[in-house]
Every structure is written in C-alpha cells, then in structure tokens.
Amino acid sequence: MEGHLDTSDPLDWRRFLIAVRRLADDLSFGADRSPFLGAGIEYVQSRPYQPGDSVRAIDWRVTARAGKVYVKEYEAPKRLPCQLLLDTSASMAVTSQPASKYALAVQVAGGIALACLDRMSPVGVLGVGEREFRIEPSLARDRVLQWLLRLRRHRFDERTTLSRRLAELGATLTSRALVVVLSDLHDPRALPVLKRMAQLHDCVVILFRDPAERRVSGAGVYRAREAETGRAFVTHGRREADDDDELRRELNRGRIDHLVISTDQPYRERLRHFFRSRDLSARGTR
C-alpha cells in the first residue's frame, strides 16, 4: 500500500478552529438533552397537558387511553462526562490524501468536545499511543483549545495502546460515562475490552479509513510494512475488506454504535446524522 507520513495539517490554526467550531454547531443543532452530548434523562410520570407544554412531550399512549392529552415528565438532566480516546499511533498518520486519518480524528474530537461543552457536559481526553497524554474531564473551553493545539503535533513513531488505555480508563470510571473512541482500530486486543466497557458505559467508535486501505482489496498477495513497528509482512489483498466487515459485525454484537469515516469523503453531514440518529433512538421515536 503506497502512502506517505502526514507531516503537516492542511489547515492553519485559525482555519482549523473555524472547522472545529462549525462541526460543533452541526452536532449541537436541534439536539435537546441529546444522550450523545452526555445528558441522561429518566421518565418520571405523565400528567395532563398544560398550555405552553411542548407537543413533543405528549404521551400518546396515555392520551389515547384517557381520552385527553397527557405529557411526559422527566427528571432533571444528568450530565454524563465524555471521555475521548484519540488514537495517536503511527498508522493513523500514514495517508494517501491531503488530510490523514489522524488530522481528521483530531478535528472530529474537537467538534465533539465543544458540542459537549455547549451542553455543559465535562470532557476529558486520553491519548491512545505510547506518549502519556491525559486530560481529566473539565468544563473549561480553554483546556480543550490547549489539548487540541498539543495533539495537532504528531510524533509518527508511536505504537497503539488502545486496549491498555481502555482497561486503565475503565478501572477509574466510578459512574456511567460516554466513551468515544477515535481510531483505525489496528489493535486486535481492543475489541474485547471495548465490548466489556460497553456493558457499563455508553460507547461509540468513530472508525477512520484511508482509501488506500480499500484499494489493496483484491490485489492478491503483497508485501507491506507495519507503520508502527516497521515490521515487514506478507498478506492478501482481501484481508482489509474482510477484516473490516468482521469488525463491524463484532461492534454490532457488542451493541456499540459506530461510524466509518474515509479521508477522501465528506463526513460532517454523516457525523451529524449518526449522532442525531442515536438521539432519536434513545428517545424511542425512530
């Protein structure tokens, strides 16, 4: 597979911040107490409709039974902390496009973080590579900008530590959290750990792919070199596509919502629709 190491982000800092802010606006638009933004709500009771109540709150089942309009009442929103696990390993920086998987992952992480802060949900970030990078959940917007600036600098020599970081994070979480993994999932040991974490927390995977990874499908037997270790190996061109299909099946079995973002395709609308769909599903309106 041909490609080169991404040595710079195509966006300067000002344009990068504008792109992140626009993405955050996209994710926040129309989201009221959205679960993906960290708001957990629980149904309390239904009561008779009063002037000024939102029609979206109507309890149609009770209304049909009682013959008059009832609305649902919920307890006050509980803000769930959002933990972003950003893959900083070398495979994320190998690219055939102007923007690498890593560059897009940092941008998406920033958009999700700012959208969470717009809903007063604290945001933490954990680097999923060999360097120690951990920011505890906070509502401080300037801290988000600081870690975004730091993460735009990439070392290009890190191995993935996704499975280990997931296990470490799971051991420290004392209450339910939203866990968002931004990675190409090249760590084969990560999926079992992630599936166990999904039993206690709301887990989401944003899976990044370069088009060159698709082009090797069907290419027959070829020789390649692992980005993170430099290890040479021989493999079959069909393996990438087959592995991706199996990966998505396993994520579905673990009931882990996931979205694939390719570096050669627009992603903002798809990302907005993905999270919006999670919101509607959680409300039982889909």
Side-chain angles (χ1 to χ4, degrees):
M1 178 176 65
E2 293 185 359
H4 60 278
L5 287 179
D6 180 39
T7 56
S8 63
D9 192 313
L11 298 180
D12 61 31
W13 179 239
R14 178 177 172 275
R15 289 189 299 149
F16 174 81
L17 289 182
I18 292 174
V20 167
R21 182 67 262 179
R22 285 177 177 171
L23 179 58
D25 291 342
D26 285 347
L27 297 180
S28 298
F29 179 75
D32 178 21
R33 298 176 177 176
S34 174
F36 94 83
L37 293 176
I41 56 176
E42 292 186 7
Y43 169 77
V44 176
Q45 63 179 359
S46 293
R47 59 164 176 79
Y49 174 86
Q50 297 175 359
D53 287 335
S54 173
V55 295
R56 293 188 297 176
I58 293 176
D59 188 333
W60 294 106
R61 291 184 180 179
V62 175
T63 297
R65 239 180 4 247
K68 58 181 180 179
V69 179
Y70 274 72
V71 295
K72 294 180 179 180
E73 281 192 333
Y74 298 88
E75 70 176 9
K78 296 177 180 177
R79 298 300 173 183
L80 302 180
C82 174
Q83 293 280 357
L84 301 171
L85 281 82
L86 180 63
D87 195 339
T88 62
S89 61
S91 65
M92 291 286 287
V94 177
T95 182
S96 63
Q97 302 296 306
S100 67
K101 293 180 287 185
Y102 183 78
L104 290 187
V106 173
Q107 198 170 128
V108 171
I112 294 175
L114 292 183
C116 287
L117 294 185
D118 287 343
R119 291 299 187 272
M120 299 303 293
S121 294
V123 180
V125 62
L126 184 63
V128 184
E130 291 180 306
R131 61 175 142 166
E132 292 294 327
F133 189 96
R134 180 166 187 167
I135 306 296
E136 295 298 329
S138 168
L139 288 171
R141 191 172 296 267
D142 59 340
R143 292 192 69 185
V144 171
L145 299 181
Q146 289 170 11
W147 61 251
L148 279 175
L149 180 60
R150 288 174 59 190
L151 284 170
R152 290 184 82 210
R153 303 186 183 97
H154 198 272
R155 272 180 31 187
F156 306 113
D157 61 351
E158 296 184 53
R159 300 185 186 186
T160 182
T161 58
L162 179 56
S163 57
R164 177 159 61 89
R165 301 297 190 196
L166 279 168
E168 292 172 353
L169 177 63
T172 64
L173 294 177
T174 58
S175 59
R176 184 171 173 81
L178 170 64
V179 178
V180 182
V181 176
L182 303 103
S183 172
D184 53 15
L185 288 188
H186 282 189
D187 184 348
R189 298 166 296 181
L191 191 54
V193 183
L194 185 58
K195 289 166 75 173
R196 289 194 296 272
M197 178 173 281
Q199 296 174 9
L200 299 174
H201 305 280
D202 184 11
C203 294
V204 174
V205 171
I206 309 297
L207 184 63
F208 293 87
R209 287 289 181 260
D210 188 278
E213 293 174 309
R214 297 195 304 268
R215 286 197 291 268
V216 298
S217 179
V221 176
Y222 66 95
R223 185 181 299 275
R225 187 174 298 277
E226 195 174 70
E228 294 165 24
T229 65
R231 179 181 62 88
F233 63 94
V234 176
T235 186
H236 194 282
R238 296 181 184 273
R239 196 178 95 179
E240 297 288 349
D242 292 344
D243 284 355
D244 264 5
D245 289 343
E246 179 59 27
L247 176 59
R248 287 191 285 267
R249 283 193 291 268
E250 287 300 317
L251 289 170
N252 286 331
R253 292 189 188 108
R255 297 188 177 183
I256 299 169
D257 290 338
H258 55 280
L259 174 69
V260 179
I261 290 180
S262 182
T263 57
D264 66 333
Q265 297 174 2
Y267 69 89
R268 278 176 50 184
E269 178 61 26
R270 293 181 60 241
L271 191 67
R272 187 194 68 81
H273 178 72
F274 169 72
F275 281 123
R276 181 59 178 164
S277 296
R278 298 186 77 240
D279 183 16
L280 294 176
S281 178
R283 295 167 188 257
T285 58
R286 188 172 66 165

